[in-house]
Every structure is written in C-alpha cells, then in structure tokens.
Amino acid sequence: MTVLVTGGAGYIGSHMVWALLDAGEDVVVVDRLSSGFAWAVAPEAKFIEADIADCDAVAGIIRTHDVESIIHFAGSISVPESLADPMAYYQNNTVNSFGLIKTAIETGVKKFVFSSTAAVYGTPDNDDPVTESASLRPQSPYGTSKLMTEMMLADAAAAHDFSYAALRYFNVSGADPMGRTGQSTVGAINLIKVATETALGKRDAIEIFGTDYPTRDGTCIRDFIHVTDLVAAHMDALRYLRDGGESLVANCGYGRGYTIREVLDAVRRVSGRDFEVRPAARRPGDIVTSIADPARARDVLKWQPKHDDLDEIVGSVLAWEEHLRRRNHM
C-alpha cells in the first residue's frame, strides 16, 4: 500500500516524503509545481505533476498506486497574500481540498492527515499556550480557508468510514539535518528563511512589521518548530490512525515563544554576521502572540520532538542556504 503526498515537491512536503521513505513506506507525490520543485522530490518516490483540483486524475492515481492514506500539504500559506486575493485562497485551500476529500472517500482511502495552521485561532485571549479547545477566530482568509477544510473533514468522518488528523502548525522552519531538502522557494516569507538570506547577503535588509505590540520588546511572538519534528508528528499521526485511533486535531509547536527581535539575534549569533533591520508598519492579519500547547500531540500521538532548539533551527537553515548557493552556481 502507498501513501499519497499532495504538495510533496514543496518545503514541508519534501521533508515528509523523505521521512516516509526512511520508514520503508511506498510514496507517490502529486504536485502542480506552483511553488515546489521536481528536484526536491526524493528519487525513490513516484512523482506525478498534477493538480489536486483534477479529481479524475487524482482518482486514477489512487487506484493505480493502491493508495491507502493521504497526507495533504498542497495549499497556499501567505496571510498578506490571502488578504489581497481571498478567493484564490478559498479556491486552493478549501474548494480543492473538498475535491480531494470527496475523491478519497469515493476511492476507499480511509486515512487522511491534513496540514492545518495555528492561524485558525487568531489572536488568543491571553499569552498562555493555546490548546485545541481555544476559540477559533481566524484573522485572515488563509486561516479561515484552513478552518473550513477542518470542518469538512469532521463532517466527512462522521458520515463515512474515514478518519483524519488535522495538525495545526505553528511557525515551521529549519531544514533536513542530512541536507537532503529545505525551504527553496524564491521570495519565501518565512522569518528565519528571510533573516538567513539577509545575513548571507541575498537580501539587502529585513523588515520588522510592527514594533509597538504589547510584548516584551514590541515585536510579535511566535513558537518556532523544526520541520523535522513536524514531519515526525505526521508519521505519528499516520501510525495513530492506522492503529484505529479516532479522528483528532492536534497542535504542532514546542510551547515556547520567541519575539521577532530574539529570532534575528539568534540568526546574528549563529551566522556570525550582522545585517540591516528596518522597522515597518504592522501588517493586517498578523497575530500578536502564537504559542502552542502541544500536550495532545505528545500524549495521544506519542510525539517526541528532538530538535527543540532555536540555534539548531537557524543553523540548519543557514546550511541549506549555502547548499542552494552552491547548487545555483553549478
């Protein structure tokens, strides 16, 4: 039996493919390459360039490759972009996910792991780590489009022989410790990616969007999770569902937050380089403080993160940036 990874040529998806192959799974990847790269797909996986919006093509892939479960990463992820073009986000993140879920049920796929987001919570009522039972008040079409998919999954699981795990990511960063893949998207907005590019001279400066928030240094606070630990949570979720576990939603974060300035200081420290930081206006849709309570993932999925260290995360991104520099000069 095979695991279908949608968006498997992208940042997190390509790490997932390697983790599945490392575990001895058969993997087929579907990606339209809107932001991913065919070269990022592990060679042992079967790669098919296709759009999940093409339900007939996806159904054929599921049947041809005897797909048993789906891990769904294909989606758009920029809060500012979603505010500027909300309908594109509802199309890609909600409508296309609807078609994928419907196709999965119709073709007999019973296990589904979904890439959701902490953006479904919006700004919490206090600075405590957020539990899965917190109010759901997304502040952007990005967050809302992901929440709508979670709602569809819950209704589908109630009506069919179908179970799912929706993993709510906090801030994902880092790169594969073995150097096999990393964040390669040109113009990516991930904070640590942008900061390391700036430290290495690939960008002139980095902007801080808002320096007057009610936090310890005026900048937003985020819970940064290493991508390798995140994909391990997906492996644990898949194992949990295969063992008969009931559908669930779980946070993926470490339970500790860093301000934007603290992250920039870490990039300076690890890289040994200084760089220009420019204050900028607040961005609509930005959440002030976002810290996970990961107890459910640890207790129910038996998730045991191994890379909970900001300097390690930054170091892995720097190493990947150097890899990309060498690759681009080959």
Side-chain angles (χ1 to χ4, degrees):
M1 294 185 289
T2 303
V3 180
L4 169 61
V5 179
T6 70
Y11 170 40
I12 304 172
S14 64
H15 286 83
M16 186 78 250
V17 171
W18 277 110
L20 288 162
L21 292 169
D22 290 345
E25 300 277 356
D26 293 325
V27 182
V28 60
V29 171
V30 170
D31 198 304
R32 67 183 185 182
L33 300 181
S34 60
S35 59
F37 304 90
W39 58 259
V41 179
E44 293 84 359
K46 172 66 175 179
F47 172 61
I48 300 169
E49 184 176 348
D51 194 328
I52 63 166
D54 187 343
C55 294
D56 289 340
V58 173
I61 291 165
I62 290 171
R63 293 189 177 103
T64 299
H65 296 278
D66 193 19
V67 169
E68 170 258 355
S69 54
I70 294 173
I71 306 181
H72 177 33
F73 295 100
S76 304
I77 61 170
S78 168
V79 168
E81 185 180 68
S82 77
L83 289 162
D85 192 0
M87 301 316 294
Y89 271 67
Y90 290 120
Q91 176 67 53
N92 197 32
N93 290 354
T94 308
V95 176
N96 291 354
S97 292
F98 160 80
L100 180 66
I101 296 165
K102 184 172 182 287
T103 301
I105 292 168
E106 290 174 346
T107 55
V109 175
K110 302 182 188 305
K111 312 300 178 190
F112 196 102
V113 182
F114 174 54
S115 166
S116 192
T117 173
V120 300
Y121 296 118
T123 296
D125 293 325
N126 53 54
D127 293 338
D128 296 335
V130 179
T131 68
E132 292 83 358
S133 60
S135 298
L136 302 177
R137 298 177 301 211
Q139 295 173 205
S140 65
Y142 165 60
T144 304
S145 66
K146 290 286 192 173
L147 179 56
M148 293 170 74
T149 299
E150 285 192 22
M151 296 167 70
M152 288 190 293
L153 285 167
D155 289 340
H160 301 281
D161 181 13
F162 176 84
S163 58
Y164 73 93
L167 302 184
R168 292 174 178 166
Y169 305 173
F170 282 65
N171 282 66
V172 187
S173 195
D176 177 45
M178 298 175 65
R180 298 174 297 185
T181 188
Q183 170 61 282
S184 306
T185 306
V186 177
I189 60 172
N190 176 290
L191 174 64
I192 296 178
K193 166 82 168 176
V194 175
T196 54
E197 287 182 338
T198 308
L200 295 174
K202 296 181 180 182
R203 301 189 190 218
D204 293 334
I206 184 170
E207 293 182 314
I208 298 180
F209 298 101
T211 57
D212 58 349
Y213 284 103
T215 63
R216 54 185 173 265
D217 65 15
T219 63
C220 294
I221 295 175
R222 296 289 183 267
D223 186 339
F224 290 87
I225 176 174
H226 196 296
V227 64
T228 301
D229 282 336
L230 179 67
V231 299
H234 289 69
M235 294 296 298
D236 293 335
L238 182 59
R239 190 177 306 111
Y240 164 84
L241 293 175
R242 285 172 168 173
D243 289 343
E246 296 182 354
S247 296
L248 91 166
V249 174
N251 289 334
C252 289
Y254 293 141
R256 181 176 65 251
Y258 296 93
T259 69
I260 304 303
R261 292 190 189 279
E262 288 167 349
V263 172
L264 299 182
D265 286 344
V267 174
R268 290 189 181 98
R269 182 172 61 249
V270 177
S271 69
R273 302 185 183 190
D274 198 5
F275 48 88
E276 183 178 353
V277 177
R278 298 171 183 166
R282 292 186 182 191
R283 295 182 301 188
D286 274 351
I287 298 165
V288 181
T289 300
S290 181
I291 302 173
D293 181 337
R296 182 176 293 176
R298 290 174 180 268
D299 296 343
V300 179
L301 300 182
K302 309 304 180 186
W303 177 57
Q304 296 180 330
K306 299 178 180 178
H307 304 277
D308 180 4
D309 182 87
L310 181 60
D311 284 8
E312 180 185 350
I313 293 172
V314 170
S316 69
V317 177
L318 284 164
W320 183 251
E321 288 302 317
E322 290 291 352
H323 169 84
L324 289 176
R325 182 184 60 79
R326 292 192 298 272
R327 177 185 176 85
N328 293 334
H329 285 85
M330 289 174 61

